[in-house]
Amino acid sequence: MEALKINLKHNRSSMVSYRVHIGDIGWQSWKSSGKMAGTTNQGRRIEAVQIKLTGTYAGLYDIFYRVHVAQKGWLGWAKNGETAGSTGISLRAEAIQVKLAKKGTVHADGKTASLKMPSLTYRGHVQYLDWQNAVGSGKTAGTTGRGYRLEALQIHLKDSAGKSGISYRAHVAGVGWQEWKHSGQTMGTTNQARAIEAVEIKLTGDLASYLDIYYRMHVSGIGWMGWAKNGASAGTTGGGINGEATEIKLAGKDTPVDTKGTPFKNYSQNTASKTASNPYPSRQNVDGDNYYEIPCTRFAWQKVYDTLGISLPAWGNGGQWAGSSKKQRLCGGKNGKGQQHCGMAGQRLWACGICNRGGRN
């Protein structure tokens, strides 16, 4: 539906007022009997309506109405100015029914007359930082550009009945996929120095019928990956790569969402047929703080192997890589920051020296 006219007059005077909620515009002004509410020739959908009686009819009658919504079907009956349809979800209204009844008439079917975007919040537990403050839909939980692992997540989303409207689970370093959690519960681990590497999130119950949930992971050495949705995997597995942050958002099933990019990569599948093995330890107490982490040399070696198919030798710690590659005539010039690069396969693999701060690998 794009536009709506309602006719109800007594002695040529309007006995009804109505307005519509339009996608990308919001609520229009109130219209009287016979006037057009909505738009034509603009390709804009009506999403919700409000109707109320005026004049002498307001004391004599009740007006009931309900809307048929895309992905959901007929919603419950609203009356006398209440909202029928959806707001903030981008679901189109496809049909409407309107009834006039004597004052006090009971006309209900137990269904919800209107839908709105539920409140989604989530927070991350981050290496060195503990639990962060909760953020809302589309915001970042975790950190980027600091190299801190995301260790746990809590997601809060409840349906109109107050029950959990979401299930989620994490793939944790050294553990694998955990069991499914529900609204408010913790996925991942705390005080175990284990990173979340991948997540799967899905809506449950009534919310799943008209909403999609999208999520993506910021991964160490890669950055933001593509958006996954509705229970698909986001992040990485099999490569021992830390997740650092996540973003989660809700959208109506009518809503177009840009999902460019690869949301998930399983490194173990890509390297199963290869015989070379990573010469660096999978976990190492690199800071002397009794927290065992993935050495950056292991990650760099694996990234070159997975991407280029090149099996590098064991070149020692990060501060020795540039010198070792130069001795083997694999290193080219320097960039503006004095960082040396590797000339193998025409690729520039920067050995920036950050890996060797304080002797850390």
Side-chain angles (χ1 to χ4, degrees):
M1 291 198 305
E2 298 178 336
L4 177 68
K5 289 182 180 180
I6 302 176
N7 288 281
L8 183 62
K9 294 182 179 181
H10 181 75
N11 293 331
R12 297 184 178 181
S13 296
S14 173
M15 294 288 121
V16 67
S17 290
Y18 47 96
R19 64 175 183 168
V20 298
H21 187 280
I22 301 175
D24 301 323
I25 293 179
W27 287 107
Q28 284 189 322
S29 60
W30 290 92
K31 308 296 182 182
S32 57
S33 179
K35 304 292 184 180
M36 185 189 78
T39 62
T40 58
N41 302 317
Q42 295 186 32
R44 298 181 183 275
R45 59 179 174 264
I46 290 176
E47 296 176 345
V49 300
Q50 293 176 340
I51 309 172
K52 60 184 179 182
L53 298 175
T54 58
T56 57
Y57 277 21
L60 299 174
Y61 302 100
D62 289 322
I63 192 163
F64 295 88
Y65 44 97
R66 66 173 181 170
V67 171
H68 188 281
V69 174
Q71 311 296 335
K72 184 64 177 171
W74 285 109
L75 300 181
W77 291 93
K79 73 172 185 176
N80 300 341
E82 296 172 345
T83 299
S86 70
T87 56
I89 310 177
S90 299
L91 294 179
R92 65 184 181 274
E94 298 176 333
I96 187 171
Q97 290 181 335
V98 186
K99 293 183 178 183
L100 198 63
K102 291 183 178 179
K103 202 72 176 177
T105 301
V106 177
H107 190 70
D109 53 15
K111 295 182 180 180
T112 300
S114 63
L115 303 173
K116 62 181 181 179
M117 189 66 76
S119 174
L120 169 68
T121 61
Y122 47 99
R123 64 173 184 161
H125 186 281
V126 178
Q127 179 186 10
Y128 304 132
L129 303 180
D130 208 343
W131 284 108
Q132 295 181 307
N133 293 328
V135 297
S137 181
K139 304 298 183 180
T140 301
T143 61
T144 60
R146 303 177 72 176
Y148 296 168
R149 60 178 172 263
L150 180 64
E151 299 178 337
L153 274 171
Q154 291 177 344
I155 307 175
H156 292 262
L157 180 65
K158 295 188 177 181
D159 61 19
S160 58
K163 298 179 180 179
S164 173
I166 192 168
S167 292
Y168 46 92
R169 65 174 183 166
H171 189 280
V172 177
V175 176
W177 285 108
Q178 292 181 314
E179 63 182 11
W180 290 94
K181 307 293 183 179
H182 306 288
S183 181
Q185 295 179 334
T186 300
M187 68 172 170
T189 60
T190 58
N191 302 318
Q192 295 187 33
R194 298 181 185 275
I196 289 179
E197 298 175 338
V199 298
E200 293 177 346
I201 308 173
K202 60 185 178 181
L203 299 176
T204 59
D206 187 56
L207 297 182
S209 66
Y210 61 92
L211 291 175
D212 290 323
I213 188 161
Y214 292 84
Y215 43 96
R216 62 176 181 169
M217 291 289 294
H218 188 280
V219 176
S220 177
I222 298 176
W224 285 110
M225 301 187 72
W227 290 94
K229 74 171 184 176
N230 299 343
S233 299
T236 68
T237 57
I241 305 173
N242 291 349
E244 298 177 344
T246 189
E247 291 178 349
I248 309 170
K249 60 185 180 182
L250 295 170
K253 288 189 178 294
D254 266 0
T255 307
V257 176
D258 184 357
T259 57
K260 292 180 181 178
T262 301
F264 174 73
K265 187 169 184 179
N266 184 343
Y267 284 89
S268 61
Q269 288 182 350
N270 295 333
T271 61
S273 61
K274 300 179 181 180
T275 58
S277 60
N278 196 314
Y280 294 95
S282 60
R283 290 289 187 277
Q284 187 173 357
N285 186 10
V286 297
D287 296 319
D289 57 2
N290 293 323
Y291 285 97
Y292 283 78
E293 300 161 321
I294 301 168
C296 67
T297 47
R298 178 181 179 85
F299 173 80
W301 189 99
Q302 196 68 45
K303 186 69 174 175
V304 173
Y305 186 55
D306 291 340
T307 304
L308 305 177
I310 298 171
S311 177
L312 295 174
W315 279 343
N317 65 38
Q320 297 170 322
W321 274 41
S324 298
S325 63
K326 188 174 183 179
K327 288 179 181 178
Q328 297 185 31
R329 298 182 180 180
L330 295 175
C331 183
K334 296 182 178 181
N335 69 0
K337 298 180 181 179
Q339 298 169 330
Q340 294 175 305
H341 67 81
C342 172
M344 290 187 305
Q347 303 293 320
R348 294 191 173 188
L349 306 173
W350 298 105
C352 65
I354 292 176
C355 297
N356 199 37
R357 288 181 300 179
R360 292 188 346 194
N361 286 340

